[in-house]
Amino acid sequence: MLAELACFERPCRARFPIDEAIYNCPACGGLLEVVFTEEPSEADAWKELWRHRRTSNQAIEQSGVWRYRELLPFDGHHHQVVSLREGNTPLLDAPRAAQYGGLDRITFKHQGFNPTGSFKDNGMTCGVTQAMRLSRSRVACVSTGNTSASMAAYAGAAGLDSIVFIPHGNISYGKLAQALEYGARTFQVEANFDQILALVRVLADRLGIYLLNSINPFRIEGQKAIIFEMLDQRDWNPPDWIVLPGGNLGNTSAFGKALRELCRFGLIHKMPRLAVIQAAGAAPFYQFMKKGGEFHAVAEPKTLATAIRIGDPVSWPKALHELTVTNGAVEKVSEQEIADAKAVIGQCGIGCEPASASTLAGIRKLTESGIMRADEDVVAVLTGNVLKDPDYIYRYHTGELKDPDGGKVEPTLGNRPVVVPNDADAIAKMLDR
Ligand code: F0G
């Protein structure tokens, strides 16, 4: 549909053309969002159209993002789409995880099945397509790892130069390896995510590089498709809760916006509640939502779930709005809780990276406190693939995992590899026990 950029701040609401390369409102500095400027006449027919597209062999229809392009702001530019067949991620039942979380049933929407192994691909296909629309040749981001892997891949596919900035020593090797392999110029900066974001914004302005952090409203547009696809897979029956990890809070913003649009256009008639889970050592949004008052950044965020090691999340005003609209909840979880929940998800044959496991850890706390009921219909979004951070897995299972303060994370569900002699009798004896 036809669209514009609008300032997210209600007192301002200034409007800008959709092809203006801005990341904040030039009038008041607020966040920007995409708004549609026309009312669809055929929204009723979309569900059938989207279902029908799943049977097509055309690249754009095979994408679990672009299949829903009626709700994306790219009219007239579909020939410029850069896609790696993102989305199409499964809904998985996990009875053991449900039991651990205090629920009768849980479904995971596993974004780790994406081309680069995280939910960032849903947004990046739109971000890089917007770079093409704007005829930009260079794109950049700061990242805790997944955004950089995704941007590098999509820029590579589009033939653009990509420049990645990451906090030195604080991203997993799986993610760093992806950025290198996909050909991004990679800078490891001696600073944390929040500090590097400020640096990259200055550089992007000075050098005319297109910035692809989640402050970029087109990334948020693509991430809406996680919700569109989830509801399509559920025959448009909204769950009671959608649970996700919170870092920079871009995904929370995207999920809320997607749900609002589906309600507005009559595609769903009930609003699920969003539950955002943060790591206790990087939980500024949790603190803010619990205490109210001003938003205070955490100066030195700490967590082994490095994907969500963010102390000053840029999208908090949007996330506040979306949690209010959806009557949502926030929770925080410890390193031990994340590690154990992650091992449970692994035992279900599913697996995920540490940040993703905060969802199940959070659900366990939300059911314990009675905020979430056992019989409620819950979808938890696993944001990244199990192989993103193998070092963490090995350390947990062998009892070597230390929290950021040097304390031991107990291998509650540890599963150590065993060294054995090359001797059938000896091994048979061990297996008989
Ligand atoms: N889960 C994973 C696996 C992530 O990589 C991220 C964010 C989040 C959750 C949190 O999402 O920021 O939208 O609240 N990773 C970013 C990155 C910051 O640079 O890859 P959010």
Side-chain angles (χ1 to χ4, degrees), residues 71-116:
L71 286 175
L72 300 175
F74 288 90
D75 276 11
H77 294 272
H78 295 142
H79 60 287
Q80 288 174 306
V81 162
V82 181
S83 170
L84 292 169
R85 313 300 180 271
E86 52 289 323
N88 301 304
T89 61
L91 287 178
L92 303 168
D93 276 334
R96 200 185 294 208
Q99 194 186 17
Y100 183 82
L103 293 171
D104 298 342
R105 199 186 148 197
I106 192 170
T107 310
F108 289 120
K109 170 86 174 142
H110 204 328
Q111 293 303 111
F113 282 64
N114 261 299
T116 77

Side-chain angles (χ1 to χ4, degrees), residues 117-120 141-150 165-167 171 175 193 213-214 219-220 223 244-254 276-278 305-310 313 315 353-358 381-385 388:
S118 86
F119 75 97
K120 302 291 179 179
C141 69
V142 52
S143 176
T144 56
N146 281 322
T147 299
S148 51
S150 186
F165 295 85
I166 48 178
I171 80 165
K175 299 172 190 178
F193 178 92
N213 274 98
S214 60
R219 290 259 324 273
I220 302 296
Q223 283 168 216
L244 75 164
N248 220 7
L249 300 171
N251 219 19
T252 308
S253 313
V276 176
I277 318 296
Q278 295 208 290
T306 49
I308 50 173
R309 189 169 183 258
I310 294 176
S315 293
E353 69 160 282
S356 311
S358 66
V381 178
L382 300 180
T383 43
N385 190 282
K388 286 279 188 177

